Amino acid sequence: MDPKLILPYSELENSYNEYVDEWESYNEPLVPAATIRGFHTFSELLEKWREETTEEIRKKDLVPSTLYFLIDENEKILGAIHLRHELNDFLFKLGGNIGYGVRPTERKKGYASVMLKLVLEKCKTMNMKKVLVTCIKGNTASANTILANGGVLENEVYIHNKMMQRYWIIL
């Protein structure tokens, strides 16, 4: 069975905890940041992620967004992708519309490309015309994923002591 992109739901709690624990065991920051557990229970995270999809999130100076998990047939979370429905100034400069990450033990299996392809289909259903995807210069795996999904490098900008590459994907 091919992996599928799904919205988080309560039965994924154990899989989510294993996912976060794995990232932490590799001493890596969780990517995308929307998946960070913090001091929240899983049910609180589900509510937070649901709220982020609504217009209510604008009260916190954020744009509506949707978090998806890529899971296998056993509901193991392979990766996560965060779709921001629009760009504000910060996202235009740095974060872009889409951020994604694959759990350390599942990398180099094509899952990032699968997630990006699937979320681009969701962007089309939302009538988005183009999306911005960024990565740190030197992250060739991410750059190759973006390029494989139609990304065109617009420019490179130095932000927060990092050289960021900004790619546009026309839908």
Side-chain angles (χ1 to χ4, degrees):
M1 182 179 125
D2 290 330
K4 61 182 178 178
L5 201 62
I6 53 93
L7 294 169
Y9 52 92
S10 60
E11 290 79 11
L12 285 178
E13 183 172 2
N14 289 337
S15 183
Y16 169 77
N17 287 328
E18 291 169 3
Y19 175 79
V20 172
D21 290 346
E22 182 175 311
W23 280 84
E24 290 173 352
S25 74
Y26 277 73
N27 292 316
E28 292 185 24
L30 269 159
V31 179
T35 58
I36 293 173
R37 178 173 37 203
F39 296 103
H40 300 287
T41 66
F42 191 68
S43 61
E44 290 170 338
L45 287 170
L46 289 173
E47 179 56 29
K48 174 183 165 289
W49 294 329
R50 187 209 58 76
E51 180 190 14
E52 288 174 353
T53 66
T54 71
E55 291 296 313
E56 288 295 309
I57 200 66
R58 293 185 192 283
K59 293 177 183 174
K60 297 179 181 179
D61 291 324
L62 298 171
V63 300
S65 62
T66 306
L67 177 69
Y68 298 96
F69 289 125
L70 187 73
I71 61 170
D72 67 10
E73 66 277 2
N74 298 314
E75 295 189 329
K76 177 182 180 180
I77 297 174
L78 305 170
I81 191 163
H82 191 216
L83 169 63
R84 276 82 66 164
H85 303 175
E86 60 191 61
L87 297 173
N88 59 20
D89 287 339
F90 173 80
L91 294 172
F92 182 77
K93 292 175 187 167
L94 182 64
N97 290 98
I98 299 170
Y100 54 87
V102 175
R103 71 189 300 157
T105 58
E106 298 295 337
R107 293 182 184 151
K108 299 184 180 183
K109 297 179 182 178
Y111 293 136
S113 193
V114 168
M115 279 192 300
L116 185 52
K117 179 182 177 186
L118 292 172
V119 90
L120 290 173
E121 291 302 318
K122 295 188 180 296
C123 292
K124 290 176 187 175
T125 66
M126 297 170 65
N127 294 317
M128 297 173 79
K129 303 299 181 209
K130 64 181 182 175
V131 295
L132 176 65
V133 187
T134 66
C135 69
I136 296 172
K137 185 173 184 169
N139 184 346
T140 54
S142 189
N144 288 338
T145 295
I146 297 165
L147 290 168
N149 279 279
V152 175
L153 180 65
E154 177 182 55
N155 61 4
E156 296 177 343
V157 293
Y158 193 72
I159 300 177
H160 302 300
N161 299 320
K162 298 175 188 168
M163 184 62 74
M164 299 299 295
Q165 294 180 312
R166 300 174 70 251
Y167 296 85
W168 287 99
I169 300 174
I170 306 300
L171 303 172

